[in-house]
Amino acid sequence: MKYNEGQQGFSEEALRSATFGRDVLACETHFFTHGGAPHLTLVLQLADASGFDGDRPFKPRDLNAPNPEDALPEELRGVYRDLKKWRNDKAKAEGRPAYAIARNTQLAELVAKAPKTKAGIKEIEGFGESFVERYGDEVLGLLAQVNVPAAPNEGELPL
């Protein structure tokens, strides 16, 4: 993009057009001068608009989709927000999109089911061995805040 003297900056029109409806996965910037005018080059890694992002299906985010947090009881929403913050921080540190670690709906299901073991995490759709190996201990630590009443033993009646 060539520096626009009238705007005192770079036009964002081409950038908006190229990224419309797609997630930016990574960005590199390069400034240079050509013919005495400043230029900016952006190298973007975008989620593929054809329907796939690597091996993961891609669909644009539905801005009208319900917020998974709304389906949780009020007393569990803080744990959901803690998990979401943990996931976002982890994604930023690893240079990955947050959804590549866990989707919001998966985080809400983790909170709702509050598994106590790594095997319990794997029972939730979308979490496999790789997720559990990388993040299982941290997730279990965050879920330890959730107090789910234990199921009665067989033959016992709940109080």
Side-chain angles (χ1 to χ4, degrees):
M1 297 185 294
K2 184 178 178 182
Y3 183 80
N4 183 320
E5 192 68 42
Q7 285 184 313
Q8 292 291 303
F10 298 95
S11 172
E12 296 178 13
E13 197 170 314
L15 180 61
R16 284 192 187 117
S17 174
T19 61
F20 181 77
R22 299 168 74 183
D23 287 333
V24 177
L25 304 176
C27 176
E28 291 180 32
T29 59
H30 302 279
F31 290 95
F32 63 97
T33 303
H34 178 70
H39 285 71
L40 170 66
T41 298
L42 298 171
V43 180
L44 303 174
Q45 179 183 2
L46 301 173
D48 187 4
S50 68
F52 294 97
D53 173 20
D55 294 335
R56 298 177 61 92
F58 168 77
K59 68 178 187 181
R61 182 176 171 202
D62 180 359
L63 298 177
N64 296 316
N67 181 350
E69 181 178 349
D70 294 342
L72 293 171
E74 189 66 41
E75 63 271 11
L76 296 180
R77 292 180 183 185
V79 178
Y80 170 78
R81 288 189 292 269
D82 289 347
L83 264 177
K84 204 170 157 186
K85 181 182 181 332
W86 165 84
R87 186 263 330 257
N88 293 344
D89 291 347
K90 189 65 67 175
K92 186 175 181 179
E94 294 179 5
R96 302 173 64 192
Y99 69 82
I101 293 175
R103 296 182 323 272
N104 291 343
T105 54
Q106 290 173 303
L107 296 178
E109 191 171 351
L110 273 171
V111 173
K113 292 186 176 176
K116 302 293 183 206
T117 65
K118 291 180 180 179
I121 293 173
K122 289 193 285 188
E123 290 178 15
I124 296 172
E125 185 178 341
F127 294 128
E129 190 63 39
S130 176
F131 178 88
V132 169
E133 272 184 38
R134 288 178 97 171
Y135 311 117
D137 291 330
E138 291 176 75
V139 168
L140 290 173
L142 289 163
L143 291 175
Q145 304 172 59
V146 178
N147 294 319
V148 177
N153 292 330
E154 192 173 324
E156 283 185 25
L157 295 175
L159 299 175

